[in-house]
Amino acid sequence: MLTLNEESRIAACLQSAAFADELIVVDSGSTDRTVEIARAHGATVHLHADWKGFAVQRNRLLQHATGDYLFFVDADEVISPELRDEVQAVVRSGLPGSWTVRWRVVAFGRELRHFRGQAPVQRLFRRDQLQGFTGLVHETPTFTQPDLPRADLRGPLLHHSRETIYGSLKKLAQYVALGAEKRRAAGKAGGIMVGLLMSSVLFLRLYVVKGAFLDGGPGFLFCYFIAQEIFLRYVATRYDDQAHAPHVGR
């Protein structure tokens, strides 16, 4: 787990992961009680305050891990009992490969039970087959050999994505800067009109097609913040020359 000032959420996350043989936290310089709480729940904490991006922090975490299998979890996530059982079954099997999980979103105090828009994310790996991670945001795993088998785990990973408006705005600013830097590095263009178009299409797809409208106000706010992030990412790509992503994400 990577952390920075997660004292309000880290206990629930670590409690759900208590079945693991070891709990490893790489902290980016928390000024609250994150480190204290993590250690109280049995985690080994390594401090790396010289933030250089998510991929760098995850690669540092790999250096501290000793298990045969690794499961990555964020502080705003909770492993369900069903997912825990599946992870334990994979470890007992000794199988090679990587495994994806699906988030079940919890936004503004409500689980979005009707929302069907979350793509699977790779979280469980064989340690000897995982080389590391690349990318500024939504970092990508790299493996020791191509075409490793990949399977899906069906148990949900509860993602407390957005708890407050204030927290959502902070997260919005962080991911706008990271996304804009990634687009600039890839030589992609930005702008207001293309941002309006892409964000509008995304909002309609999430809110209407993917069923978030059935989850009331929390469903609307969840989709709105995602669409707003996309819009500002395109705008920042063109107009915000002061965004330096490696120093943002903290």
Side-chain angles (χ1 to χ4, degrees):
M1 181 193 303
L2 304 181
T3 59
L4 178 69
N5 295 332
E6 298 285 1
E7 66 176 6
S8 65
R9 304 186 289 194
I10 191 171
C13 179
L14 289 174
Q15 287 167 4
S16 74
F19 63 92
D21 293 320
E22 61 180 357
L23 300 171
I24 305 172
V25 170
V26 165
D27 187 79
S28 301
S30 293
T31 56
D32 61 4
R33 297 178 59 246
T34 295
V35 171
E36 175 187 343
I37 295 171
R39 288 172 173 159
H41 284 81
T44 301
V45 180
H46 303 274
L47 300 177
H48 292 280
D50 56 330
W51 176 263
K52 296 179 180 179
F54 286 103
V56 172
Q57 289 296 82
R58 290 205 188 277
N59 291 333
R60 288 168 168 172
L61 195 155
L62 285 177
Q63 297 173 6
H64 299 296
T66 63
D68 295 328
Y69 286 82
L70 304 178
F71 187 88
F72 288 85
V73 66
D74 293 335
D76 61 355
E77 298 170 344
V78 173
I79 301 171
S80 66
E82 299 88 347
L83 180 56
R84 174 200 63 204
D85 294 343
E86 286 185 275
V87 171
Q88 290 178 311
V90 168
V91 173
R92 288 193 298 268
S93 73
L95 290 172
S98 68
W99 290 261
T100 64
V101 300
R102 286 189 179 271
W103 282 315
R104 185 178 294 167
V105 177
V106 180
F108 304 102
R110 176 172 171 177
E111 183 178 336
L112 306 186
R113 294 184 175 274
H114 301 93
F115 179 60
R116 307 183 306 277
Q118 294 296 83
V121 290
Q122 289 179 282
R123 288 299 185 85
L124 179 61
F125 307 92
R126 268 271 298 262
R127 177 66 181 91
D128 60 348
Q129 296 172 331
L130 179 62
Q131 281 186 323
F133 292 88
T134 60
L136 290 171
V137 61
H138 299 144
E139 52 279 7
T140 302
T142 59
F143 301 100
T144 57
Q145 61 190 83
D147 302 323
L148 279 174
R150 190 169 84 173
D152 297 327
L153 301 178
R154 299 178 63 86
L157 181 65
L158 299 178
H159 185 205
H160 293 259
S161 174
R162 302 178 189 279
E163 298 170 318
T164 65
I165 299 298
Y166 176 72
S168 297
L169 289 170
K170 288 179 63 178
K171 187 173 184 176
L172 173 69
Q174 172 186 341
Y175 279 93
V176 164
L178 290 167
E181 182 68 18
K182 185 176 181 179
R183 289 186 60 81
R184 279 194 294 267
K188 296 180 178 180
I192 293 175
M193 297 309 298
V194 67
L196 282 172
L197 175 62
M198 298 302 294
S199 61
S200 298
V201 170
L202 178 63
F203 177 84
L204 291 173
R205 184 168 67 87
L206 296 179
Y207 189 63
V208 179
V209 179
K210 298 296 184 179
F213 72 94
L214 296 171
D215 290 302
F220 174 86
L221 289 172
F222 176 77
C223 297
Y224 170 79
F225 275 110
I226 293 179
Q228 186 75 346
E229 177 193 322
I230 296 301
F231 168 69
L232 292 174
R233 185 185 301 176
Y234 277 89
V235 173
T237 300
R238 180 168 181 178
Y239 294 104
D240 190 357
D241 295 331
Q242 302 302 314
H244 300 291
H247 306 290
V248 179
R250 298 195 44 173

